[in-house]
Amino acid sequence: MTRVWKWNRPVTVREVLEDLQRERSIAYTTVMTVLDNLHQKGWVRREAEGRAYRYEAVSTRAAYAAALMNDAWSQSDNPAAALVAFFGMMSDEQRQDLRDAVRIVQGPETSEAATPGGGGENPASATEGGGR
């Protein structure tokens, strides 16, 4: 998926193969199998182009990561404990990113009410300028 996201356009097995071969030896059939598996799982769509296919990501890297986190969390027998353990693994910067994300999802009306004094800053502007 990393290679498909890298180009941000439909790619062929040959293009992915050539890119991967810069780093290591890998067979054409291996790349073809992986892309086919990703297609079967719904992570990429493909369109025939001559005798080959062009593969394109169905979702963004962020959406993919979110789906993985949701899947892992939903498999827990104690989701609250899983979240506490996950938050405990986070760095201070990651916890601040989480706070910013929660404020964005809640929207301006909820985040202002939750902020002492009511005049919270716009969380989107806090992350854009890297300001923490």
Side-chain angles (χ1 to χ4, degrees), residues 45 103 109:
R45 66 177 142 270
R103 281 194 294 268
E109 61 281 345

Side-chain angles (χ1 to χ4, degrees), residues 20-62:
L20 287 169
Q21 284 180 332
R22 293 180 193 154
E23 299 170 15
R24 62 188 170 111
S25 177
I26 188 167
Y28 181 94
T29 54
T30 301
V31 177
M32 184 176 62
T33 300
V34 169
L35 285 169
D36 185 58
N37 288 342
L38 290 169
H39 176 257
Q40 302 228 357
K41 291 180 179 184
W43 289 107
V44 296
R45 66 177 142 270
R46 67 184 181 194
E47 190 171 316
E49 183 177 282
R51 292 178 35 180
Y53 286 109
R54 284 208 170 267
Y55 294 86
E56 183 176 20
V58 170
S59 65
T60 64
R61 183 185 292 248

